[in-house]
Amino acid sequence: MLTQYDIEEVQQHCKNAFTQQEIVSLYQRFCQLDRNNCGFIPSDEFLSIPEFAVNPLSQSMLRLLDGFNFKEFIAFLSAFSPRATLQHKIEFIFKVYDTDCNGKVSFDDMLTVLRDLTGQYMSEQQRKEVLAQVLEEAGYTKDSFLVLSDFMKVLKQLISSITCCTGILKFHLDSGQFGSEDGSGGSRGLE
Amino acid sequence: MNSTGTLKSSSSELDLDRPNIEDYLPSGAAIQQEPCGKLRLHDLLDISPTLSEAAGAIVDDSFTRCFKSNPPEPWNWNIYLFPLWCFGVFLRYLIIFPTRALVLTIGWIIFLSAFIPVHLLLKGHDKLRRNIERSLVEMMCGFFVASWTGVVKYHGPRPSRRPKQVFVANHTSMIDFIILEQMTAFAVIMQKHPGWVGLLQSTILESVGCIWFNRSEAKDREIVARKLRDHVQGTDNNPLLIFPEGTCVNNHYTVMFKKGAFELGCTVCPIAIKYNKIFVDAFWNSRKQSFTTHLLQLMTSWAVVCDVWYLEPQNLKPGETPIEFAERVRDIISTRAGLKMVPWDGYLKYSRPSPKHRERKQQNFAESVLRRLEEK
């Protein structure tokens, strides 16, 4: 069970990206996913959500999600909150690309993500060509390393596509609660 | 809940005064409009729609919701209602439950003392033996239903015993079978269970003609398909009951039907079952409780209330594939029982989705990139 102190601590950790009610709802979801009550969600559990498992970028996201406790889980999801800043969202995208976490995104990093997104429907050669072409047009070369400020420059027109999933979060804000496995939910009964 | 059945959508049942989540979930298609124009670095780097879908699935997903228990809300939360509830608990556990256990034991004694002799002595007279065993099983199921004070309302014409027909129903718990068996002795196809349930399956249910399968065995499907076909062709066999979902779902949703029942080349008679959660939630969450615990929970509640609708038999339409047929029947059942249809396979509870869903998304993206590359 979450106390008021816990909620406030988590809220601070995610820089107020979520309201207290949203944090409570997300906690119920976290508990639902953390079936063995070990305090974190194993990768297997995420992969057992079919909608997540069919997502082409699920592996990259799993890399970022591994071994997360609830605070880190909230911090991870805070990029998708309607209150997150554009800066925060772009930082998140950068983290997904930066597979070796060295603060720089190389041509190979971008190629890896493109490979995940296109699978077998584009040849490796085609991917390299496409990537090289768009990089050149944007003023970079194949050997340049992109840092966060480059991402900010390129993606600054990223309007609201990353907030579209927060429709889901908005639903839970409107409805007030998730309805966990053990909690209430459903019609009033006479048991 | 009236018998003519208002076909209101389950959203009003699920979220009485809350908004409907289906309005907020993105549909299968892409959330944004199809991008156009020349391909730029921005388009390749912007993975936000895909990431958003993944995050959306983490936050809530339609598959997990199918298997979430939704117990009725507690009402005993103030000083007047609490003693009333305590009295109710006393009544249920200490008076009603022992009575029911007694009724069930008596039922078992009567059943076994009639079944075993008939089974052993009437070996030669097959037809007579089968008829008696059939009535005995129906009676035993009646005892079971009485032991939870089942209030079952059957709508529609009773199933007839004709060859070349199968019955399909939505699945919430193993008690579905008992409720249906009480009215008509069906032959059923079931997963082989361990423990006392397995014992029951191999002895008594054998007499009504049951077929076993094992989810974990790969070759199993062909063997089972053949057994199904043989059973349906036989004139003297009990009508076959199949639960095409393949797993227990929480009676608010239906998952995809397996096509096995729909490719047998015979008439499919749908049956819709809807439980009223007023006293107890009849969903058997096999991840959380064993069947024994589930039965005990039912036996210590006031009553199990449900509606059973026997619907119009359906045939494969010309030009329809078995999968389309299955979906059509699922639609009929879901509409009747007020359930939401969900596009997932129930077996995803036990296994991962096949890569072809992901491949479809990858294909869409790759084609869009290549197309935009052509635009100069």
Side-chain angles (χ1 to χ4, degrees), chain A residues 190-191, chain B residues 75-76 80-90 92:
Chain A
L190 288 174
E191 180 73 323
Chain B
W75 56 276
N76 55 354
Y80 307 105
L81 297 174
F82 190 71
L84 203 63
W85 176 78
C86 285
F87 178 65
V89 169
F90 168 77
R92 274 188 287 127

Side-chain angles (χ1 to χ4, degrees), chain B residues 293-305:
Chain B
T293 322
H294 174 63
L295 270 190
L296 285 175
Q297 189 192 354
L298 293 178
M299 283 176 77
T300 53
S301 68
W302 290 110
V304 172
V305 185

